[in-house]
Amino acid sequence: MRRVSAPPARRGEDRRSWLSGAPPPRWVRVLPPALVVGICVATLLSQEPLEIGFLLGAIPPLAVLSYGPLATAVLGGVVIALLHIPALQLDRPGDADLLTIVFVAVLSVFVSFVRSRRDAQLGLERTVAEAAQHAVVPPLPERVGVVRCAGLYRAAQRGTLVGGDFFDVWDGPFGVRAVMGDVQGHGLSAVSTVASLLGAFREAVLDQPGLASVAGRLDRRLLVDSADARHAELFATAALLEFSADALEVRVVVCGSPPPLLLRGADATELEVSPWTPLGLGLADAGAIEACTVSLRPGDRLFLASDGVVEARDDSGAFYPLADRLSALADEDSAALPERVWADLVRFCPDVQDDVTMLVLTPSRPAPGMRGPVPH
């Protein structure tokens, strides 16, 4: 099997807030020293003593949000020192007030130490999780054989890179084959099923001569997995494609998934393919799956979208008009098209609840003398 090497992966969009584990914004880091400077300037410029020394007690707890224990200790020491500088004319604290501020500063250093250790552990776990999820759904290459590829993946569960959707494109002995699917459920609970289906697809690309038999292999994989699943039934929807060597034909099998859209110039039309039941319901035993063959012209593009796109609704309950929006965006470069559709989808339905996956496949013969794909 051959697959081109992918360019360096761009880090997935981090949709976490800083209160949910993301790095704090700059203003949070600037706030403690800015507060120190502001208090000092205000007291020096004032002709009368200002009773604002109590504000200094808030600096060590604020430092905990973004600084390590050493920096927090330094800021705590600065606060205590400022209270003893006569030129600042701060309200002179009594012994009890001073001990309270010292206690708050020491406690802040301890909390900062605990937070730093926790953040380091969470960072390590997130790195391992991202590596594992990238292993399940690796970055999509720019070209696989005679097909140029562009994709977009947005998991519904925040903080994850993989959910219940999946796609992959491989060049095997029977041509370039692609799959896009959506398994039962979404989020991390569906990742194991996604990994199982992708593994079955990559094996089937090697040894299954027909696209229908590839769908049958995926169907059998789900039947085997569902025998040990908690749910009585495990299923997935999927669309499978197989491109001819001259990039003038594509064979399509749709199993409960939205049919691919054909972009031809400014027109976006849904392919007329025979729909089949979702995977996991015994298609391998039925043996009745048939692939539909569609002729392609130079410049044609195939756009595949998951249920999260076509079933998104606006405030009035109207579904996202994917074909109409694609016609308006058809002049966009294929590589940028998924991101443009995603931005348009978010404007249409700001609160997208499902996994969103898009795949743009552009069949095109490599130019003469172009280096072929390298072994994967």
Side-chain angles (χ1 to χ4, degrees):
M1 178 183 296
R2 301 167 83 73
R3 188 182 190 185
V4 296
S5 57
R10 187 179 67 179
R11 190 177 183 84
E13 178 186 6
D14 192 347
R15 296 183 288 165
R16 298 174 298 162
S17 70
W18 67 279
L19 296 177
S20 302
R26 182 175 298 179
W27 67 266
V28 176
R29 295 186 59 84
V30 172
L31 187 58
L35 190 58
V36 171
V37 174
I39 292 174
C40 293
V41 172
T43 54
L44 291 175
L45 294 179
S46 176
Q47 299 298 326
E48 301 293 333
L50 298 178
E51 296 184 358
I52 59 175
F54 69 93
L55 294 176
L56 292 174
I59 292 177
L62 288 175
V64 172
L65 297 175
S66 55
Y67 289 95
L70 179 59
T72 302
V74 171
L75 286 171
V78 170
V79 166
I80 296 172
L82 291 177
L83 292 172
H84 291 81
I85 297 178
L88 295 180
Q89 304 183 66
L90 294 171
D91 50 322
R92 296 177 175 82
D95 291 340
D97 295 334
L98 185 60
L99 288 175
T100 299
I101 293 178
V102 171
F103 174 77
V104 170
V106 172
L107 182 61
S108 297
V109 172
F110 173 74
V111 174
S112 177
F113 173 78
V114 173
R115 181 195 59 79
S116 299
R117 294 292 298 272
R118 184 208 61 184
D119 288 351
Q121 181 63 29
L122 289 177
L124 176 61
E125 292 176 357
R126 180 171 174 81
T127 299
V128 173
E130 288 182 355
Q133 293 179 78
H134 276 307
V136 173
V137 182
L140 189 67
E142 293 179 356
R143 174 182 283 274
V144 179
V146 298
V147 179
R148 289 188 289 115
C149 311
L152 178 140
Y153 199 124
R154 294 290 185 271
Q157 186 170 341
R158 292 182 178 270
T160 63
L161 303 178
V162 180
D165 289 357
F166 62 95
F167 62 76
D168 206 357
V169 185
W170 284 88
D171 186 6
F174 307 104
V176 176
R177 288 170 170 172
V179 63
M180 172 180 281
D182 182 4
V183 307
Q184 180 187 23
H186 59 79
L188 293 178
S189 61
V191 172
S192 60
T193 305
V194 167
S196 180
L197 282 175
L198 286 176
F201 171 75
R202 291 160 187 168
E203 291 181 359
V205 168
L206 283 174
D207 52 28
Q208 295 298 321
L211 189 63
S213 59
V214 176
R217 178 69 66 86
L218 300 182
D219 180 74
R220 187 181 67 180
R221 179 71 267 168
L222 281 180
L223 287 175
V224 173
D225 291 346
S226 63
D228 298 325
R230 290 180 300 172
H231 302 284
E233 193 174 79
L234 188 64
F235 66 90
T237 60
L240 296 97
L241 294 86
E242 178 183 275
F243 294 88
S244 61
D246 56 9
L248 296 179
E249 287 185 345
V250 60
R251 285 170 287 279
V252 183
V253 170
V254 173
C255 299
S257 178
L261 293 170
L262 176 63
L263 285 173
R264 179 168 289 169
D267 296 328
T269 57
E270 190 175 276
L271 293 182
E272 296 182 0
V273 298
S274 301
W276 298 93
T277 55
L279 302 172
L281 303 181
L283 294 179
D285 297 332
I289 311 175
E290 295 181 2
C292 298
T293 301
V294 178
S295 298
L296 299 174
R297 301 175 187 174
D300 285 352
R301 292 173 289 176
L302 293 166
F303 189 95
L304 292 84
S306 64
D307 293 340
V309 178
V310 298
E311 295 181 359
R313 297 172 182 253
D314 63 6
D315 294 336
S316 66
F319 289 105
Y320 179 69
L322 178 59
D324 294 339
R325 299 302 179 102
L326 279 179
S327 297
L329 299 171
D331 58 343
E332 295 295 332
D333 178 68
S334 296
L337 185 57
E339 289 287 351
R340 292 294 299 271
V341 175
W342 166 251
D344 186 62
L345 176 66
V346 172
R347 286 192 295 268
F348 181 86
C349 176
D351 188 21
V352 179
Q353 297 291 334
D354 201 359
D355 299 321
V356 169
T357 309
M358 304 178 214
L359 186 61
V360 181
L361 303 175
T362 307
S364 61
R365 291 287 298 173
M370 180 182 293
R371 182 181 176 184
V374 298
H376 178 67

